[in-house]
């Protein structure tokens, strides 16, 4: 497990090409792609830009993200980061002046690609602390990329965030160390519960994950497997408030069995890497929720956790499953989203266009899910 403060990074490009699948299996090519762009029942849908291309509009389906949370309290999706009280012993200064208030806009789109079924699941919670209220602003976003089925992804979607909250995610004063400890414990509890349920239910599928928690002005990103988070950050901010050229920064680190550090850990646990680079010749990723049959040979659900502070330089984030990043490089995706936002499109329209571009134009054949999170400043 690598846990550290994420302050800067390089543009780690992902090569475009055919998506690799976590478990071996046959794909079925389909001439027509059935696309679903989903808006959580916990958020208010953003609208397409008036006069925009009607082809950008796709059918919508609401999804209850967490059954335990009262959706009536979360109708307004564009939320203001609340002003925090600061004490001398606080680890980070999270006070936000009236000039520095940050608003969050986010939405998600998905497409099953050429697969027969959709095995991805997602979470959009702009107000993510309702069960554990506190002074500290809390939002949560996540993508769970299932393989071998959807049961593991759905279980994680319903349990991870509540497990992280109950494990002590800070709700009053920001404490980076306590936040990362709560996330680690939340992942452990979720995987433990998932393995018990899968044994009872007789299923063995797994799920990778990329998750974001926004606490005050601190962003924490946790991942297992090959789902990624990419940050769009400008090199500096001009005096008039306009930004310079955006850089794409890959916040997450992939966990694949073929990578040296993961390979060594797997071999120490008694597992082996086949000539195809897969664990036991079958599983491509080395960290995931579930995958009960591979847990004794090195698969773990311990995430890498990174953190950074929101400033005027951070513009937006893109979360995506490996289907998206198999056909989009990080810089390419940032440029695509930036252009759409500058054209005045809503976050809903941008997320739809990003996924449609991946599947229909770049021929992503895997399930494809993307969340776009935009940070707006109060001018």
């Amino acid at each position: 497990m690598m846990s550290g403060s994420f302050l800067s990074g390089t543009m780690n490009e992902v090569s475009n090409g055919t998506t690799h699948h976590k478990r071996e299996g046959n794909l079925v090519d389909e001439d027509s792609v059935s696309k679903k762009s989903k808006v959580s029942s916990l958020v208010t849908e953003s609208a397409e830009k008036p006069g925009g291309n009607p082809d950008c509009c796709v059918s919508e389906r609401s999804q209850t993200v967490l059954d335990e949370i009262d959706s009536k309290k979360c109708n307004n999706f564009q939320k203001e980061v609340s002003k925090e009280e600061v004490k001398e012993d606080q680890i980070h200064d999270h006070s936000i002046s009236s000039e520095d208030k940050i608003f969050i806009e986010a939405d998600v789109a998905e497409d099953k690609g050429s697969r027969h079924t959709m095995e991805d699941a997602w979470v959009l919670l702009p107000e993510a602390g309702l069960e554990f209220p506190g002074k500290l602003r809390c939002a949560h976003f996540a993508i769970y990329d299932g393989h071998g089925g959807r049961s593991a992804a759905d279980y994680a979607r319903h349990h991870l965030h509540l497990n992280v909250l109950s494990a002590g995610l800070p709700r009053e004063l920001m404490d980076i160390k306590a936040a990362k400890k709560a996330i680690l414990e939340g992942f452990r509890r979720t995987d433990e519960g998932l393995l018990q349920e899968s044994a009872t239910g007789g299923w063995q599928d797994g799920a990778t994950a990329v998750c974001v928690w926004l606490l005050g002005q601190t962003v924490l990103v946790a991942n297992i497997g090959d789902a990624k988070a990419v940050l769009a950050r400008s090199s500096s901010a001009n005096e008039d408030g306009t930004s310079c050229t955006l850089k794409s920064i890959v916040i997450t680190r992939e966990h694949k069995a073929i990578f040296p550090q993961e390979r060594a850990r797997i071999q120490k646990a008694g597992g082996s890497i086949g000539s195809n680079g897969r664990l036991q010749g079958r599983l491509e990723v080395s960290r995931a929720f579930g995958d009960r049959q591979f847990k004794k040979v090195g698969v773990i659900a311990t995430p890498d956790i990174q953190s950074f502070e929101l400033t005027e330089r951070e513009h937006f984030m893109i979360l995506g499953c490996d289907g998206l990043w198999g056909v989009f490089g990080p810089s390419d995706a940032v440029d695509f989203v930036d252009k759409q936002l500058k054209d005045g499109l809503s976050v809903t329209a941008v997320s739809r266009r990003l996924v449609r571009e991946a599947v229909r134009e770049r021929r992503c054949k895997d399930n494809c899910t993307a969340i776009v999170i935009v940070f707006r400043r109060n001018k």
Side-chain angles (χ1 to χ4, degrees), residues 99-100 233-246 311-315 338 342 375-379:
E99 293 80 18
D100 293 330
R233 172 186 282 168
S234 58
S235 56
S236 63
N238 296 330
E239 293 182 358
D240 60 0
T242 60
S243 61
C244 300
T245 303
L246 296 182
T311 69
E312 292 183 355
R313 296 173 56 202
E314 284 70 47
H315 293 259
D338 187 41
K342 286 179 177 177
F375 308 116
R376 306 283 193 190
R377 273 76 186 176
N378 186 27
K379 297 181 179 180

Side-chain angles (χ1 to χ4, degrees), residues 289-309:
F289 287 121
D291 286 319
R292 180 162 47 90
Q293 69 274 39
F294 296 110
K295 278 296 193 278
K296 292 183 178 180
V297 290
V299 171
I300 60 175
T302 304
D304 279 337
I305 307 173
Q306 308 294 344
S307 64
F308 61 91
E309 298 294 308

Side-chain angles (χ1 to χ4, degrees), residues 2-9 91-92 176-177 180 218-221 233 251 304-309:
M2 294 178 61
S3 177
S5 178
F6 178 80
L7 299 177
S8 62
I91 292 180
H92 292 283
I176 290 290
K177 185 178 293 186
K180 291 182 177 181
T218 301
V219 178
L220 295 109
V221 182
R233 172 186 282 168
I251 305 173
D304 279 337
I305 307 173
Q306 308 294 344
S307 64
F308 61 91
E309 298 294 308

Side-chain angles (χ1 to χ4, degrees), residues 6-27:
F6 178 80
L7 299 177
S8 62
T10 58
M11 292 181 285
N12 300 319
E13 292 291 347
V14 178
S15 301
N16 291 347
T18 303
T19 302
H20 296 285
H21 302 281
K22 298 177 187 65
R23 288 186 181 172
E24 290 187 333
N26 295 326
L27 287 176

